Amino acid sequence: MKILFIHQNFPGQFKHLAPLLAARGHQCVALTLRAKEPANRNGVRLVPYRLPKRSGQNLHPWLIDLDTKLTRGEACYRAARALRDKGFTPDLILAHPGWGESMFLNDVWPAARIGLYCELYHQADYPHLHFDPEFDKGDAELSRLRIRMKNLNNHLHAPIMDAGISPTHFQAETFPEDFRERITICHDGIDSAVARPDPDVRLTLDDMPELTRADEVITFVNRNLEPYRGYHIFMRALPRLLVERPDARVVIVGGDEVSYGPRPPSGQTWKQVFIDEVRADIPDADWARVHFAGRIAYDDFTRLLQVSRVHVYLTYPFVLSWSLLEAMSCGAAIVASDTAPVREVLSHDDNGRLVDFFDGDALVGEVCDLLDDEAARRRLGEAARATVLARYDLQTICLPRQLDWVSQIMDGAPV
């Protein structure tokens, strides 16, 4: 087959599927903003395209999101048309529609089958709105209207989608019924051969002493440090946690940008906002045991999870981070928020510990309890890894299911 991949940050969620399909002899091409020059990567031909420069426009604020997606959709359409004019006609298009890029591809290749990565449909009420009252700003009724407008992109894709795929039941169930009946539940997959326990692991990062399994290491990971992923909750629990655990080192991974939710006050970062909030309550000697690692290479990230005694994962009811499952695959003892879709993955005291998202005292209590109980950490860590192997393993579970999904799309069979 000829297969076209669309993802603004390719490979994204197609990281494993695209190379596998190429290795099986399919001609795989990816239109992407990420590549600067044409290239071949893991058997996939990368075709870069660019966004046009546009002068400023006066738009209704609720239309800015759609305008951005239309800009990407038009640019991707033009790039797709150029591919078509050079003789490339895909049998199958696999796309993440979240940035609008795939909006007009059916107009270029009406006969192509289209599979979409259905990451999230924005809910105009709880839990996507009003989950965290601290960051509820403005008129609640108007917020619902604004959120509904964000789904215009989803609805523009609905007529062209032959099948969808979502990584969790929670994410799939955010979509209306006419979407859901076409969505297969399948996670992107965790490479358990890479994310695995290593009792002999040693980790050295800048401005940090070497860490091993002999050290009491508490880890917290976000792509970006922000409220949607509970950074504010963790930071507010930090003063007490450092007092309770005088030998612990706390390693915090994440960037300074905003992936989801509201932006911080102008000129600030959420990272610094909550450092400033708690710093006066933390003596210098204790603060020296807190390490902000920023964004780190994947090998170092894996070693960090392997060295972690307790890994903390907090999230609004939203998309599930790979980092939670990677920590589980490494055999870490997890303390996580009792929110969807975490509850699909973790059961309290079965393969992790769950706490109310907003209860910092409970968070500290569970972390300290596990740090004092090696047997419980071992039991929960082994059960966490077993969960990944049974339900989320890349090679034995997820890739085979994704290949079945691709075959069903091409066969025209219900998915």
Side-chain angles (χ1 to χ4, degrees), residues 161-217:
M161 183 178 85
D162 292 299
I165 193 167
S166 284
T168 67
H169 288 275
F170 168 77
Q171 288 166 252
E173 289 167 3
T174 62
F175 286 84
E177 182 58 33
D178 62 327
F179 281 88
R180 281 203 304 270
E181 63 190 11
R182 290 176 281 166
I183 294 177
T184 293
I185 311 298
C186 178
H187 194 267
D188 317 317
I190 301 300
D191 191 343
S192 62
V194 174
R196 59 179 176 79
D198 181 359
D200 301 317
V201 63
R202 311 183 81 84
L203 173 66
T204 302
L205 294 173
D206 292 342
D207 302 322
M208 193 185 310
E210 183 180 70
L211 299 176
T212 72
R213 292 290 295 173
D215 297 301
E216 187 172 283
V217 179

Side-chain angles (χ1 to χ4, degrees), residues 106-118:
N106 185 246
D107 297 275
V108 183
W109 294 293
R113 304 283 289 174
I114 298 180
L116 298 182
Y117 190 93
C118 297

Side-chain angles (χ1 to χ4, degrees), residues 315-329:
T315 183
Y316 286 13
F318 196 59
V319 302
L320 189 71
S321 303
W322 288 346
S323 64
L324 171 62
L325 291 170
E326 288 166 321
M328 293 170 63
S329 188

Side-chain angles (χ1 to χ4, degrees), residues 38 56 64 109 226 336 364:
I64 292 174
W109 294 293
E226 56 189 327
V364 172

Side-chain angles (χ1 to χ4, degrees), residues 333-349:
I334 311 289
V335 176
S337 57
D338 189 9
T339 49
V342 177
R343 287 190 292 263
E344 289 184 38
V345 177
L346 292 177
S347 298
H348 183 68
D349 209 33

Side-chain angles (χ1 to χ4, degrees), residues 65-78:
D65 181 73
L66 181 62
D67 182 69
T68 300
K69 291 175 170 58
L70 279 170
T71 299
R72 289 175 179 262
E74 180 192 4
C76 194
Y77 168 81
R78 290 178 181 274

